[in-house]
Amino acid sequence: MARQETILRVEHLSMKFGGLVAVDDLSFEAKKGDITAIIGPNGAGKTTVFNCITGFYKPTEGRIALVHGDDSILTRIDNVTATGKQWVRTRQGALFLLERLQDFKVSELARVARTFQNIRLFGGMTLLENLLIAQHNKLMRASGYTFGGLLGLGGYGKAERAAIDKARYWLDKTGLLDRADDAAASLPYGAQRRLEIARAMCSDPVLLCLDEPAAGLNAREGEELNELLLSIRKEHDVSILLIEHDMGVVMQISDRIVVLDYGRKIADGSPAAVRSDPKVIAAYLGVEEEETDEVAKELSA
Amino acid sequence: MEYFLQQLINGVALGSIYGLIAIGYTMVYGIIGMINFAHGDIFMVSTMISLVLLIALFSLGVTAVPIVLLVILLGAVFLTALYGWTVERMAYRPLRGSFRLAPLISAIGMSIVLQNYIQNAQGADKKAFTQLIPGGIEFFKEADFSVWLQYSQIALFTTTIVVLAVFTFIVTKTPLGRAQRACEQDIKMASLLGIDVDKTISLTFVMGASLAAVAGLMHLLYYGSTDFYAGFVVGIKAFTAAVLGGIGSLPGAVLGGITIGLIEVFFAGYVSVDYKDVAAFSILSIVLIFLPTGILGRPEVEKV
Amino acid sequence: MASTDTAAPVQTPPGAAPVEPSPVRQPHPAIALLKDAAMWAAVTFILTFPIVGFKTVARGGRYVFDNNVDVVLGLTAFVFLGRILLNLTIWRKPKTATARAASGTVLDTGWAAKARRLLVPVMLVVAVTYPFLAVWASGGLVTGRYWVDLGVLVMTYVLLGWGLNIVVGLAGLLDLGYVAFYAVGAYTFALLTMNFGLSFWMCLPIAGIIAALFGVVLGFPVLRLRGDYLAIVTLAFGEIIRLVLINWREFTGGASGINQIPRPSFFGLEFIPSGPTSFAEFFGIAFSPVHRLIFFYYVILALALVVLVVTIRLRRLPIGRAWEALREDEIACRSLGISVVNTKLTAFALGAMFGGFAGTVFAARQGYISPTDFTFIQSAFIVAIVVLGGLGSNLGIVLSSLVLIGGIEMLRNLGFVKAIFGSGFDPVQYRMLIFGIVMVIIMVWKPRGLISSRAPTVFLKEKKRVGADMISEGHG
Ligand SMILES: Nc1ncnc2c1ncn2[C@@H]1O[C@H](COP(=O)(O)OP(=O)(O)OP(=O)(O)O)[C@@H](O)[C@H]1O
Ligand SMILES: [Mg+2]
């Protein structure tokens, strides 16, 4: 297997809320085309990591680098950090220091999309509208920053039709096409989760961050979700960062797992390696390390 | 120096009135998260009630100041509390759990109703009254200037302290206070646990209105005037005080009120009388924008 | 805020039947009815007895009472009978708040849709022909003046409502200081035309732009505020502008305002009795001051229609969708690359610009302006019109303007009101009181406003309106 390129590099990330250390000196990498899972008990700091990556929180310390294209650009990372720039672009690719970008710039420039643990849809708007809003910046440019669109100039109509086609594609892929004109809030829970993923994909991401997408889904829906995620990765050249409690989903589809506990990384590796890591089992079950062997046996039985 | 001292006394006096009103805002906002926009007008209604009672007592020949004060206090507190209760019952309770803008709009409507109700019932003229408690203690006498601590100011300070102590006791030590704090945390949960939420909220409005009545009487005694529009600006300043002191905190509300009072009086005394309300509104904006959790509060990170 | 919450049925704590106290043991219905009515009558009596019953009037250097106890008794009886009547009629239906299930969307057919589709062209025709209708129906220019004046008034509020609708209805930002932009427009026009002699048509765009600048300047600091705090800060801004207008005497004329603002002309024809540039002489008709009023009516109508068309188009452009998305969920917007700063500021700026237009027309029509024209109550009026109309609905705003402004003004003409309350009763005196009561009643009756459903901006197969219980209220 060829060397995999890095898409996201997190270094010494720390996030404190007053006295509480939610994320503590966390470093890890996500490879291009991989599904990288972040797991950990409740309150381990997983969502906080996402919020730091997507610019919603400014980390107390640390560096988060995202790469477009060739990851050889990472050699310049210290250089860029020192100059105080937010990003650089070369012929081979681009490098973004996400902790320096505002939340909406993370999406617009670095093309990182996300979903939320407690679903955040535009409930009073239709599914189609939800997916068009995800293409806001593109459509804004096409409408000549509103002026052209208002006067009926420029190719806004064409751009909007293309955006609708894209929305249709994702509605179809998530099995929501026949509800395109319904209010998002009227969807059942599982469908809302899928719509949120479709909406994130409509913003053309290179990295898709999913916060517990399988939460509250039944077994069949979970299965469908797995397929959706695998096909997104395969067909759309998108890397995925996944927070998940459902071990079935995690073990089945992820290429690499990072385990957090009390904000600290306690394991990092392939699903097989993580599964048998005593520290992970201890963290999950809250048992002493000596007992973990038995638990591991039970688990694998 | 004398001038400064005098302004200090006046500022604290004015601020005590703001503080008493602010407690009403802070308790209601703490519990149901709405700005009781009509609260300033409840205060205004109470000044009118006090005035009517005062004139009634005088025309009945009752002039002994302690008796007059006691009767007015009791009467005004009772009637104003009933106004507060009615307003909640008619304009806010039906909207509980509904669209969030609705109670605010309803409250603005209620504020308009109260102002125009008083204007129609009592006329639009400014009601001026001679001071009921004249005189005071003179100290720092100089040739051209002396500092006065008026008796009405002393009454105002003692009332504020006593009322604050009583209400702090109610909120921290009694079952009602416990129910209020439970509702403050989570109304749904409180009602599941068997707390009569409606009653608790009603009583909160009653308490807020009672305090407004105390403030109203003090205002009338101290300034000797009122009109149907007297509640609007005072109400907004008191709300600023509530936010400044940290929503939900009773001593904070009084502290906030005194801060606002001092700023207003010193601004009027040293900078410009014309622009004193501009200063007040600017402080309001600055507080809400930069200190939304109050002087004592910590900045919050928005939860995502 | 979470979209899942909005689908939940309206939460009513136990025992919170909106108006009636919830009796534990049900007594006989008639007794309960009388008891309820008696209780509210008693409350009314206690509340009104001192305040309404004894009016303090200064006479001979001291205060004496005017006795109005008869009014108190009248009010008490009114409440007693009113309670019984209401309990027997409107409030009889059991309140089934929870039964309003999450219906999601409804197809845009059915009688409501048909009525709406019919209503819009009818209203347009009426709006365009209104001055002539009014003059014709009331039998002449002189008698029609009142009606044309009323039309101008209602139309001004429609224009203001449509402007504020962008901020409050679409972007979900509760702005209680909208009157500031109205004032900025009016003063800009007045000062420009008085000091530099610029014409009305020159001033109109300038006033709009300056108001928009004010919108940005005032909008910037409040970007991160939400909900009630935003409302209070905007209120404060409105008051600050008014107080500055009062106190900056050299510039604004202080409390007495600006008088004798030149009136605009009709393509160079002035509304004067005679002379080469007289409108009346040019067209060979008899002079009437109502001509100018009719002219203003059309100016406002044209502006309103421009605002309407622009708003409708904007709603279907990315910026309009971003406004509505912002109202639904700001955090989700940020995660999709939408700049909250730009989106909010454009909403503030555009809303302010339309307010500035309205202010310009107001100053030109009135001929004099003073800070008392721009008090908080004006802002409350406009917000009430937008919210009572139904957030985001342009049609709703027209309806609520008609009800609140036109309807209350109509009270003046109702003979039977005088018949009931005696000839000394002048409803106009109680205009504001009635206005406030109507505001409360509409909120309690329809918290989402008159037209609460939302038309989608785009559809794949069929256009369905989104039910009110789906729509998020916005952060303020
Ligand atoms: N905005 C905030 N302010 C204060 N504390 C916060 C904030 N956000 C998160 N925390 C705290 O940080 C810790 C980690 O929270 P986080 O939401 O990241 O956990 P998590 O791993 O996602 O848990 P879960 O599995 O329950 O979603 C928790 O103790 C939480 O209370
Ligand atoms: Mg989480």
Side-chain angles (χ1 to χ4, degrees), chain A residues 46-48 117 211-212 243:
Chain A
K46 308 180 291 294
T47 301
T48 306
Q117 187 167 356
D211 198 342
E212 303 199 14
I243 294 180

Side-chain angles (χ1 to χ4, degrees), chain B residues 243-247 287-288 290-300, chain C residues 229:
Chain B
V243 177
L244 191 60
I247 286 290
V287 168
L288 290 183
F290 297 107
L291 281 174
T293 49
I295 315 174
L296 311 171
R298 253 190 311 172
E300 254 178 62
Chain C
Y229 280 20

Side-chain angles (χ1 to χ4, degrees), chain A residues 103 120 129 137 160 181-182, chain C residues 321 334 337 454 457 464:
Chain A
D103 42 28
R120 284 180 177 278
E129 286 178 306
N137 288 313
E160 193 182 64
D181 297 321
D182 287 341
Chain C
R321 288 198 197 108
R334 276 152 51 186
R454 165 183 180 274
T457 58
K464 306 178 199 173

